[in-house]
Amino acid sequence: MRTMIVGNPMNLDQLAAGEREDPGQPGPGEIRVKVQGSSLNFHDLGVVTGRMGEASGRIPLADGAGTVEAIGADVSEFAVGDMVVSCFFPDWQDGTPTVGDFSRTPGDGIDGFARDAVVLPATAFTRAPKGYDAVEAATITTAGLTAWRALVVDGKLKAGDTVLLLGTGGVSIWALQIAKMMGAVVAITSSSDEKLARAKALGADFCLNYGTTPGWGKAIADWTGGRGVDHVVEVGGPGTLAQSIEAVRVGGHISLIGVLTGGAGEVPTAALMSRQARLQGLIVGSRREQQEFVRALDASGIRPVVDRRFPLEQLAEAFRYETSGGHFGKIGIEV
Ligand SMILES: NC(=O)c1ccc[n+]([C@@H]2O[C@H](COP(=O)([O-])OP(=O)(O)OC[C@H]3O[C@@H](n4cnc5c(N)ncnc54)[C@H](OP(=O)(O)O)[C@@H]3O)[C@@H](O)[C@H]2O)c1
């Protein structure tokens, strides 16, 4: 079976093709999936370059989608031929969060989807959204579900709410599409005017270049008439949080999701307190939330923005493209 394998030392030059034994036939409760698509996340880049810790020899990529080739005994949810998509936390099925690390996340603590086929418990997958190809379906595992949980599950987003999104990467563009699907009003920032024009074409209501407007928090609050936004999907971390607090309304919600500017830093706690804002850390979501997200996508018909697709063998090239920051939305991998 073809795979890609994280090298030693862990860097993109050492990320190489390899062979592993075929996973064989599914046992009770398992399914065999022909992997056909994946997509890249900032997290995956961290795994293959060693930022997430020791991963030499690991098969990378958290996102995986493809066709069910065989089902084991006691599997009734899926049939041969179904298109399925993987879960970021295969053991977190439902309810409040049960995991706080990546030890059981495919492509990090356990082998991921940069390979031809997997045999896993059926509960590690959900049905894919109707009409999606495998690459499109794979984008919901990490980026899509994170955006859905931040805005809809935990944010309780409703029509007319205002939303602030930072940058135009995978999570933020999924969040833009979800927010517009739900009838929200959206502001988005980017370092590129060209990308902002693309965001506008997708429905963004207010676009702002964070490179040329360093005090963008106040600019966003001004855009709301001084009230502040209801929701922020905070993918930046310590370098952007102060501005996000400036932008949020009294009683608003900030989903702390990303580490694009680092993993630790100062928080203006008095400003946060005076906003009476809810600052919530979150990591992706449960299988139940993914099933609900898929239902919403079936009903809405929206499709993810896949900027470029690379064949599995060019995985290192795909990560170099992500590192360049040239992408808008998701980068797809065809397996
Ligand atoms: N907690 C979770 O569950 C979860 C899930 C998924 C991702 N994440 C995290 O969320 C972050 C985004 O992930 P991703 O996969 O969407 O990454 P990505 O697709 O690689 O997005 C990168 C984009 O972020 C924007 N960006 C970079 N620095 C920025 C800054 N200082 N201010 C505003 N925007 C900035 C840039 O947009 P422009 O080019 O438009 O400037 C860049 O293209 C990462 O830190 C990732 O680890 C967390």
Side-chain angles (χ1 to χ4, degrees), residues 41-42 142 146 166-171 190-191 195 210 235 240 257-261 282-284 322 325 327:
N41 300 287
F42 191 73
T142 306
T146 301
L166 311 185
T168 58
V171 173
S190 175
S191 56
K195 290 182 179 180
Y210 64 80
V235 294
T240 53
I257 282 172
V259 291
L260 287 170
T261 65
L282 67 87
I283 315 176
V284 196
E322 183 181 15
H327 63 292

Side-chain angles (χ1 to χ4, degrees), residues 36 71 83 85 90 154 256 260 273 284 300:
Q36 292 159 311
I71 59 170
M83 172 77 83
V85 53
D154 292 346
L256 186 59
L260 287 170
M273 184 180 63
V284 196
S300 77

Side-chain angles (χ1 to χ4, degrees), residues 77 125-126 286-296:
E77 192 175 348
F125 295 89
T126 69
S286 69
R287 180 172 187 249
R288 164 79 65 194
E289 288 159 0
Q290 183 163 310
Q291 288 167 324
E292 290 168 356
F293 182 34
V294 169
R295 277 215 308 275

Side-chain angles (χ1 to χ4, degrees), residues 8-307:
N8 185 7
M10 293 174 281
N11 60 47
L12 293 183
D13 292 336
Q14 301 296 322
L15 177 60
E19 279 291 319
R20 287 277 177 89
E21 206 176 312
D22 186 274
Q25 289 309 302
E30 294 179 333
I31 58 176
R32 178 184 166 107
V33 177
K34 178 182 167 65
V35 181
Q36 292 159 311
S38 184
S39 77
L40 302 191
N41 300 287
F42 191 73
H43 183 102
D44 300 306
L45 180 63
V47 172
V48 299
T49 57
R51 177 170 40 85
M52 303 301 297
E54 180 52 50
S56 302
R58 176 73 68 230
I59 299 175
L61 301 186
D63 301 350
T67 307
V68 177
E69 289 187 314
I71 59 170
D74 305 328
V75 174
S76 55
E77 192 175 348
F78 302 118
V80 171
D82 284 354
M83 172 77 83
V84 292
V85 53
S86 66
C87 296
F88 189 89
F89 288 123
D91 307 316
W92 179 17
Q93 295 289 303
D94 199 358
T96 52
T98 57
V99 266
D101 62 40
F102 306 110
S103 58
R104 292 275 304 147
T105 292
D108 189 336
I110 58 175
D111 281 337
F113 291 94
R115 53 175 152 170
D116 285 328
V118 293
V119 170
L120 289 169
T123 52
F125 295 89
T126 69
R127 194 172 58 68
K130 282 190 192 119
Y132 277 30
D133 67 27
V135 167
E136 291 174 318
T139 70
I140 78 168
T141 297
T142 306
L145 184 58
T146 301
W148 170 258
R149 180 174 163 210
L151 290 173
V152 179
V153 180
D154 292 346
K156 313 238 177 307
L157 180 76
K158 56 187 189 310
D161 281 0
T162 46
V163 173
L164 168 60
L165 307 172
L166 311 185
T168 58
V171 173
S172 296
I173 294 304
W174 251 125
L176 170 59
Q177 294 183 283
I178 292 166
K180 293 312 295 182
M181 170 181 96
M182 302 291 291
V185 184
V186 180
I188 190 164
T189 69
S190 175
S191 56
S192 152
D193 289 339
E194 194 191 326
K195 290 182 179 180
L196 287 174
R198 290 180 71 181
K200 192 150 194 72
L202 279 175
D205 299 277
F206 184 64
C207 298
L208 195 145
N209 189 317
Y210 64 80
T212 54
T213 312
W216 47 267
K218 179 165 184 325
I220 298 289
D222 288 347
W223 165 70
T224 63
R227 176 177 178 266
V229 294
D230 296 295
H231 308 272
V232 185
V233 179
E234 229 306 339
V235 294
T240 53
L241 185 56
Q243 294 293 318
S244 293
I245 292 171
E246 182 95 23
V248 78
R249 75 164 164 84
V250 172
H253 179 227
I254 302 174
S255 300
L256 186 59
I257 282 172
V259 291
L260 287 170
T261 65
E266 267 182 39
V267 180
T269 52
L272 178 64
M273 184 180 63
S274 68
R275 285 286 193 285
Q276 302 194 60
R278 191 159 53 100
L279 177 64
Q280 184 202 349
L282 67 87
I283 315 176
V284 196
S286 69
R287 180 172 187 249
R288 164 79 65 194
E289 288 159 0
Q290 183 163 310
Q291 288 167 324
E292 290 168 356
F293 182 34
V294 169
R295 277 215 308 275
L297 294 172
D298 286 348
S300 77
I302 59 172
R303 306 281 283 257
V305 177
V306 181
D307 177 291

Side-chain angles (χ1 to χ4, degrees), residues 304-321:
V305 177
V306 181
D307 177 291
R308 261 180 83 177
R309 294 169 184 241
F310 292 82
L312 181 63
E313 292 74 17
Q314 288 177 20
L315 187 57
E317 269 319 297
F319 276 122
R320 285 193 185 95
Y321 180 56

